[in-house]
Amino acid sequence: DQQVKQNSPSLSVQEGRISILNCDYTNSMFDYFLWYKKYPAEGPTFLISISSIKDKNEDGRFTVFLNKSAKHLSLHIVPSQPGDSAVYFCAASAGGTSYGKLTFGQGTILTVHP
Amino acid sequence: NAGVTQTPKFQVLKTGQSMTLQCAQDMNHNSMYWYRQDPGMGLRLIYYSASEGTTDKGEVPNGYNVSRLNKREFSLRLESAAPSQTSVYFCASRGTLNYEQYFGPGTRLTVT
């Protein structure tokens, strides 16, 4: 049972345009959501997060939107740059006594073309 | 300040062999985690340690054991490797105040 799903295995975008990566979840106990970026042969690096008490969080070119009723979150990258080409994972935590455990989606490969 | 370090970077084992993957963090974090990453599956939690002296199973613990040696170090042991354990293994740690986990560079393990 995949509790966090990224239904698009890949996304291709032109440099300067917007990249939108999507993520859906099924567990109503999730209350904190994170996006990670991963380059080949490296570990994932934290990008941006959002608590369930918010519906939007911005950090420079990166914005995460949360729609709790739809159990859906998205990551917007504006403008996209070739260096953004990587695998993006969304992750969710149930807080409370979950000890910070994260449940990850399958990942989306983003390619930004010059 | 190295963050999270993992050794070895690569390893090839024959079926039935054993090995220990090492992980250390220098951020004084309480919680540490072991994940495996397989194509199309994202990262799946194998074991975690919420604090020094405690360990618990994650989503895919079968075939693995762990030891939280001290606050810095958290090792993952494969007692009898199987081809299904061919994967990339990541260790991560987390501080107390937030949910962000910091990952090591990974160990690529192949079991033939």
Side-chain angles (χ1 to χ4, degrees), chain B residues 60-99:
Chain B
V60 289
N62 291 345
Y64 306 95
N65 282 301
V66 290
S67 295
R68 184 74 183 266
L69 305 168
N70 48 56
K71 191 170 186 179
R72 288 188 63 247
E73 298 171 288
F74 188 38
S75 62
L76 179 72
R77 182 159 178 84
L78 288 70
E79 290 292 351
S80 179
S84 61
Q85 294 178 304
T86 293
S87 188
V88 182
Y89 291 85
F90 291 102
C91 176
S93 69
R94 181 183 73 94
T96 309
L97 299 179
N98 52 43
Y99 288 95

Side-chain angles (χ1 to χ4, degrees), chain A residues 32 36 43 46 95 99-101, chain B residues 33 37 42 48 99-101 103-104:
Chain A
Y32 200 85
Y36 281 82
F46 170 72
Y99 301 108
K101 291 183 291 182
Chain B
Y33 308 83
Q37 186 196 3
Y48 68 99
Y99 288 95
E100 290 88 55
Q101 294 183 16
F103 284 81

Side-chain angles (χ1 to χ4, degrees), chain A residues 4-13 19-24 35-39 47 72-75 77 84-91 104-112, chain B residues 37 40-43:
Chain A
V4 178
K5 291 183 182 178
Q6 294 175 256
N7 291 316
S8 298
S10 62
L11 175 67
S12 184
V13 169
S19 296
I20 300 177
L21 296 97
N22 294 302
C23 181
D24 296 297
W35 284 93
Y36 281 82
K37 176 178 178 179
K38 185 184 180 304
Y39 292 119
L47 197 54
H72 176 83
L73 63 154
S74 61
L75 174 68
I77 306 173
D84 296 329
S85 297
V87 180
Y88 288 79
F89 292 98
C90 68
F104 283 83
Q106 307 96 308
T108 297
I109 302 170
L110 173 65
T111 304
V112 180
Chain B
Q37 186 196 3
M41 302 286 287
L43 283 83

Side-chain angles (χ1 to χ4, degrees), chain A residues 40-59:
Chain A
E42 295 184 10
T45 56
F46 170 72
L47 197 54
I48 191 169
S49 61
I50 187 166
S51 163
S52 61
I53 63 173
K54 295 185 175 182
D55 54 19
K56 178 182 173 181
N57 189 27
E58 278 183 271
D59 184 359

